[in-house]
Each structure stands twice: as C-alpha cells, then as structure tokens.
C-alpha cells in the first residue's frame, strides 16, 4: 500500500557532494517524521538526520554542518544533501517515514530499500 523509493546514491570522491531523494507513494493519509539512516558494513544502523512535518531538524553529530535534510510535504518527498563527504560516510542509506495509511489511524514506520553511497579517496 505504501512505498518509499530512494534515489541518488553512487560513487563520489572525498570532499564531493551527493543528494539523496526519497518519495513516498500509496494510500497515504499523512506523514509525520521523515529521516535518513545509514548502515556501514559490520556496524549498526544509525540515524543520520530527521525532519518533522513542521520542518524541525535533527542531525547526528558526525554530519552536522555537512548534511542538510529537507522535505516537501505536498510531494511526500524528503531529501538529504550531503556535502564535504568523507570516507567514513560510506554506507547504505535508508529512508524512513512515519505514515498513516488512508482509512486507518495507526502510525506505521516504513523503510526504503536502501541506496549505496561510496566515498573514495
């Protein structure tokens, strides 16, 4: 019923930039918080950045000042602008959203399929 589709990952040199996009589709009534997580090989998934429906943002300390999260509520889309990328940013990035499906009142967390970001030296 609901899908999160990510795009924008790839290979970039250290110091470069990438922009990730995540679009939610389906029988959506409303979307609360949206965010980006990442998981590097051998590590736990961690929160990178989050944004509320009102636009308040929260960032992991490791990306503050380099990454910017934004969203368009009308398009059910969230972006992650990543600048000054470092080798340690290499990971699979996942989109997450708290969504109420039309016809229900339950808030459910949905995840995208993940997009690989690889930063090379």
């Amino acid at each position: 019923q609901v899908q999160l589709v990510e795009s924008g990952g790839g290979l970039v040199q250290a110091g470069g930039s990438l922009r990730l996009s995540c679009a939610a589709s389906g029988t959506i009534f409303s979307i609360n918080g949206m965010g980006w997580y990442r998981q590097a090989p051998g590590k736990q998934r961690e929160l990178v950045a989050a944004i509320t429906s009102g636009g308040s943002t929260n960032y992991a300390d490791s990306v503050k000042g380099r990454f910017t999260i934004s969203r368009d509520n009308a398009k059910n889309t969230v972006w992650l602008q990543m600048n000054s990328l470092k080798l340690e940013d290499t990971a699979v990035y996942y989109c997450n959203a708290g969504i109420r499906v039309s016809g229900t009142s339950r808030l459910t967390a949905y995840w995208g399929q993940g997009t690989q970001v690889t930063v090379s030296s």
Side-chain angles (χ1 to χ4, degrees):
Q1 284 183 318
V2 173
Q3 270 191 314
L4 298 183
V5 179
E6 300 147 350
S7 61
L11 175 65
V12 64
Q13 284 192 324
S17 298
L18 281 175
R19 189 185 195 213
L20 306 183
S21 298
C22 173
S25 62
T27 54
I28 297 169
F29 176 73
S30 65
I31 302 178
N32 282 21
M34 303 184 81
W36 291 93
Y37 289 71
R38 67 186 180 187
Q39 188 165 19
K43 294 188 176 181
Q44 288 189 331
R45 190 173 296 190
E46 62 174 359
L47 175 67
V48 176
I51 185 167
T52 68
S53 57
S56 297
T57 58
N58 182 43
Y59 296 93
D61 287 343
S62 59
V63 306
K64 282 181 181 177
R66 300 189 297 121
F67 290 11
T68 302
I69 189 170
S70 59
R71 67 188 282 178
D72 184 327
N73 293 333
K75 296 181 179 179
N76 292 336
T77 300
V78 62
W79 296 273
L80 185 67
Q81 177 67 42
M82 305 185 293
N83 298 329
S84 302
L85 282 160
K86 303 177 180 180
L87 297 179
E88 52 264 42
D89 294 319
T90 294
V92 178
Y93 284 70
Y94 296 91
C95 175
N96 170 268
I99 296 175
R100 284 187 175 85
V101 173
S102 297
T104 74
S105 59
R106 186 176 63 185
L107 185 68
T108 302
Y110 288 87
W111 292 89
Q113 79 282 2
T115 185
Q116 177 70 46
V117 171
T118 303
V119 183
S120 65
S121 58

